[in-house]
Amino acid sequence: MPASLNASHLPATPFLAVDAAIVETNLAAMAHAAAAKGMDLRPHAKTHKVLELALRQIGLGAVGLTVATLGEAEVFAVAGVTDIFLAFPVWADEGKGARLQALAENVKLTVGIDSVEGARQLAAATAGAPIGVLVEVDSGHHRSGAAAANAGSLARAAADAGLDVRGVFTFPGHGYGPGNQGSAAQDEAQALAAAVQSLAAAGLEAAVVSGGSTPTAAVADAGILTEMRPGVYLFNDAQQVEMGTCGWGDVALWAVATVVSRHGQHIILDSGSKTLGADWPAWTTGGGRLPDHRDARITALSEHHATVEFPENTVLPTPGELIRVVPNHVCAAVNLADELSVMVDGAVADTWRVAARGRNS
Amino acid sequence: MPASLNASHLPATPFLAVDAAIVETNLAAMAHAAAAKGMDLRPHAKTHKVLELALRQIGLGAVGLTVATLGEAEVFAVAGVTDIFLAFPVWADEGKGARLQALAENVKLTVGIDSVEGARQLAAATAGAPIGVLVEVDSGHHRSGAAAANAGSLARAAADAGLDVRGVFTFPGHGYGPGNQGSAAQDEAQALAAAVQSLAAAGLEAAVVSGGSTPTAAVADAGILTEMRPGVYLFNDAQQVEMGTCGWGDVALWAVATVVSRHGQHIILDSGSKTLGADWPAWTTGGGRLPDHRDARITALSEHHATVEFPENTVLPTPGELIRVVPNHVCAAVNLADELSVMVDGAVADTWRVAARGRNS
């Protein structure tokens, strides 16, 4: 791949490139893994925001999509996706209430709730619309989500307000980081099991028990979960490689950058945080990775500069050379781009529009 | 302002809002400060990427614009800006060489160089076009830039290759952080003075001696610098407040977010890193600030969630409430938005398109 990168057939750098064959392999592998576990797969489309990829996920057997925002849901609904879970405790003000109602006319729509106030607001703003809800529980990530023991009372309040309670969900985000996947998946299963019990005690059934993330997908507890919602898996990224949840050969998206200068043992690339995103967890080894220079480390990111340090006694790339850079967090990088260049044999064979980019509200 | 935020007259949250009166005050203040120092002002337009604001900066006396990418330069040139400095060591491959030549037909164009290879490539790719160059020197930020002592030999190589050497520039980015401004401005002046001497020894004059950033603008050495290039100053951001280079009343841009839920002493806002950006230097107190809740801290950012902790015994905002959030780094936040809502008296009076958003190449 890198050897065949030829600037005269490529967009100006920096740009995001995708290997469509690796994407297809990743999509098929996760579809197979979910089927083998007997779990529904509902991929999180916030990662790619691309219509072609959403439809391919459905084509490979996904039961529907997960999205993070109402705006994303609207984009995918127009493209023909008919089953969408909005995995966010949306506050349904007048404007969003009307949009949710309109969306529910064409889509089997499910929305996250994590508070009695939010549930009542949603019910009041969408009265009569066929909108289901999943109760969000906190399984250890400590962001949104109710305590599992309170899931039943929240679900009961939602049902009493007129909402169709379909089940429970969580995001085991604390599974990010080397070695965290097993314990986070256990936390996820325990919290969801407790939430199901809590709903049962309130006289409500949890038909959907939804969890999962790319790092925890392989170890998700199929005895408890009915559904998983990984997003990153179709592209993967430097975080996934460094956590060990994928190998270099599974990475399907990278920025193509130009070496613009070289000073001692470091080079400057034109792919900064406005291309790669600024996500840089403390446990990562740098601000992204160079798959063709695995000993090199991105030690600093400005908006349009990546500073890359090479070990002593290594041959550095030369100015003008094209370099592949894998972002730490692919969702953030894709969200900065208007389109993805689909590469076949080192040339751009197609372009995918990042259709839901910027649809944050 | 916050008391008069009325959801029924506003876009769906999260969105970016600008107080046009504060912007105007900030623009005029920096124009005045530069004039009082006898320095040219060449604002960095990567911060706002908005045509209306670029033209206003020119109208208030800026000698031209600074941009970070060729794509940004093209957007502002089409809007009628006639003097542009591309403050980046662009590698002029065939495509960018042709674009630089085309741009130079309508614009007084200056480009940064920081290596002999880059300068020769630029000269070869733009032969005959009236493109000037400034030699970039490293004044302590240790990103791109030549050592000041090497500026003369680099400038000589550039001149010999046929480039019009107009002077030297630096970015004192190590001035970011509390208390760093004075020493960074001293480093800036010393490096630029040494670079000017180095050029003189090579028989070249530095008509332009360009430095400056928002944090160091007030202490820039007018005895050495002829020009400053601040960008952030028109909006300001949480970093500037926490560095002490502006006050809360000088902040002109914020995200408007909705409280979507509340758990103990923390609330969740719908403005995550896809709205605010993920920039989070270690010296800041959180992932952005709430100007109307100055004791609160953003302790975590996900893509669509901000977790905000409040001190014990404080009254927390209620779910559904609208909250203003000032991003840590306004350049990153603006780069995520397609438009800015211009607020007057709590309502949206105008919309500015972020015209150069995504023009990274």
Side-chain angles (χ1 to χ4, degrees):
Chain A
M1 203 90 39
S4 61
L5 284 175
N6 180 338
S8 65
H9 297 94
L10 296 177
T13 66
F15 68 94
L16 296 188
V18 171
D19 185 313
I22 300 177
V23 170
E24 181 65 18
T25 300
N26 292 343
L27 288 172
M30 188 63 81
H32 179 78
K37 280 173 171 276
M39 293 172 69
D40 289 337
L41 175 62
R42 184 182 291 276
H44 208 316
K46 74 177 169 68
T47 299
H48 58 72
K49 300 174 182 286
V50 169
L51 304 183
E52 291 89 336
L53 292 170
L55 297 177
R56 184 67 186 136
Q57 287 173 319
I58 304 289
L60 283 166
V63 296
L65 291 187
T66 305
V67 298
T69 71
L70 182 47
E72 289 177 352
E74 289 165 339
V75 168
F76 289 110
V78 167
V81 177
T82 57
D83 185 333
I84 298 179
F85 172 42
L86 173 40
F88 189 85
V90 175
W91 185 264
D93 62 11
E94 190 181 329
K96 286 187 178 162
R99 290 166 60 197
L100 287 164
Q101 284 182 303
L103 190 60
E105 289 176 14
N106 300 307
V107 171
K108 183 188 172 195
L109 181 63
T110 311
V111 178
I113 58 170
D114 86 334
S115 71
V116 172
E117 301 100 315
R120 287 181 179 152
Q121 178 75 19
L122 178 64
T126 63
I131 297 175
V133 294
L134 298 189
V135 174
E136 181 175 5
V137 295
D138 178 7
S139 56
H141 188 42
H142 304 320
R143 186 176 67 181
S144 47
N150 297 333
S153 59
L154 170 50
R156 171 48 58 202
D160 289 348
L163 294 171
D164 174 19
V165 177
R166 295 177 183 161
V168 296
F169 81 107
T170 193
F171 173 62
H174 59 311
Y176 273 77
N180 294 356
Q181 290 72 53
S183 60
Q186 282 183 356
D187 293 344
E188 171 185 52
Q190 281 178 7
L192 288 172
V196 170
Q197 284 191 325
S198 180
L199 260 66
L204 291 163
E205 191 198 352
V208 176
V209 182
S210 177
S213 65
T214 294
T216 57
V219 286
D221 187 339
I224 305 292
L225 281 70
T226 65
E227 174 182 282
M228 61 165 83
R229 307 187 315 278
V232 166
Y233 73 97
L234 82 167
F235 294 141
N236 289 309
D237 54 25
Q239 287 189 120
Q240 300 297 331
V241 171
E242 296 201 339
M243 270 187 278
T245 55
C246 77
W248 284 109
D250 306 315
V251 176
L253 182 147
W254 57 88
V256 178
T258 298
V259 179
V260 296
S261 61
R262 185 171 52 176
H263 306 272
Q265 285 304 113
H266 82 256
I267 60 171
I268 303 292
L269 301 176
D270 60 3
S271 57
S273 60
K274 280 182 173 168
T275 298
L276 300 173
D279 289 54
W280 193 324
W283 55 266
T284 60
T285 68
R289 289 291 295 274
L290 279 56
D292 306 310
H293 301 276
R294 297 185 192 171
D295 291 339
R297 289 293 179 272
I298 296 178
T299 57
L301 285 177
S302 303
E303 288 162 63
H304 299 280
H305 303 70
T307 304
V308 188
E309 298 283 347
F310 284 74
E312 296 291 333
N313 304 318
T314 53
V315 178
L316 271 65
T318 55
E321 200 172 315
L322 298 184
I323 301 284
R324 300 194 301 163
V325 185
V326 179
N328 271 341
H329 184 190
V330 73
C331 306
V334 169
N335 185 52
L336 292 162
D338 291 313
E339 58 187 39
L340 308 179
S341 295
V342 184
M343 310 286 288
V344 175
D345 295 334
V348 177
D350 196 0
T351 300
W352 287 331
R353 194 167 73 86
V354 186
R357 196 210 62 74
R359 297 298 302 265
N360 289 325
S361 59
Chain B
M1 204 85 42
S4 62
L5 284 176
N6 181 338
S8 64
H9 297 95
L10 296 177
T13 66
F15 67 94
L16 296 188
V18 170
D19 185 312
I22 300 177
V23 170
E24 180 66 18
T25 300
N26 292 343
L27 288 172
M30 188 62 81
H32 179 78
K37 280 173 171 277
M39 294 172 69
D40 289 337
L41 175 62
R42 185 182 290 277
H44 208 315
K46 74 177 168 69
T47 300
H48 58 71
K49 300 175 181 285
V50 169
L51 304 183
E52 292 88 336
L53 292 170
L55 298 177
R56 185 67 187 136
Q57 287 173 320
I58 304 289
L60 284 167
V63 297
L65 291 187
T66 306
V67 298
T69 71
L70 181 48
E72 289 178 351
E74 290 166 337
V75 168
F76 289 110
V78 168
V81 176
T82 57
D83 186 333
I84 297 179
F85 173 42
L86 174 41
F88 188 86
V90 175
W91 185 264
D93 62 11
E94 189 181 330
K96 284 187 179 164
R99 290 165 61 196
L100 287 164
Q101 285 182 302
L103 191 60
E105 290 177 15
N106 299 306
V107 170
K108 182 186 172 195
L109 181 63
T110 311
V111 178
I113 58 171
D114 86 333
S115 71
V116 172
E117 300 99 315
R120 288 182 178 151
Q121 178 75 20
L122 179 65
T126 62
I131 296 175
V133 295
L134 298 189
V135 174
E136 182 176 4
V137 294
D138 178 8
S139 56
H141 188 40
H142 304 321
R143 185 177 67 182
S144 46
N150 297 333
S153 60
L154 171 51
R156 171 48 57 203
D160 290 348
L163 294 171
D164 173 19
V165 177
R166 295 178 182 159
V168 295
F169 82 107
T170 193
F171 172 61
H174 57 310
Y176 273 78
N180 294 356
Q181 290 72 54
S183 60
Q186 282 181 356
D187 292 344
E188 171 185 54
Q190 282 177 8
L192 289 172
V196 170
Q197 284 189 325
S198 180
L199 260 67
L204 291 163
E205 190 199 353
V208 176
V209 183
S210 178
S213 64
T214 294
T216 58
V219 288
D221 187 338
I224 305 291
L225 283 69
T226 65
E227 174 182 283
M228 62 166 85
R229 307 186 315 277
V232 167
Y233 73 96
L234 83 166
F235 293 142
N236 289 309
D237 55 24
Q239 286 189 122
Q240 301 296 331
V241 171
E242 295 200 340
M243 273 187 277
T245 56
C246 78
W248 284 109
D250 306 315
V251 176
L253 182 146
W254 57 89
V256 178
T258 299
V259 179
V260 296
S261 62
R262 186 169 53 175
H263 305 272
Q265 285 304 113
H266 82 257
I267 60 171
I268 302 293
L269 300 176
D270 59 3
S271 57
S273 59
K274 279 183 174 168
T275 299
L276 301 173
D279 289 54
W280 194 325
W283 54 266
T284 60
T285 68
R289 289 290 295 274
L290 280 56
D292 306 310
H293 301 276
R294 295 184 193 172
D295 292 340
R297 290 293 179 272
I298 296 178
T299 57
L301 285 177
S302 303
E303 289 162 64
H304 298 280
H305 303 70
T307 304
V308 189
E309 297 283 346
F310 284 74
E312 296 291 331
N313 303 317
T314 52
V315 178
L316 272 65
T318 55
E321 201 173 314
L322 298 184
I323 301 283
R324 299 193 302 163
V325 186
V326 179
N328 270 342
H329 184 191
V330 73
C331 307
V334 169
N335 185 53
L336 293 163
D338 291 312
E339 59 187 37
L340 308 179
S341 296
V342 185
M343 310 286 289
V344 175
D345 295 335
V348 177
D350 198 359
T351 299
W352 288 332
R353 193 168 72 88
V354 185
R357 194 209 64 73
R359 297 298 302 265
N360 289 326
S361 61

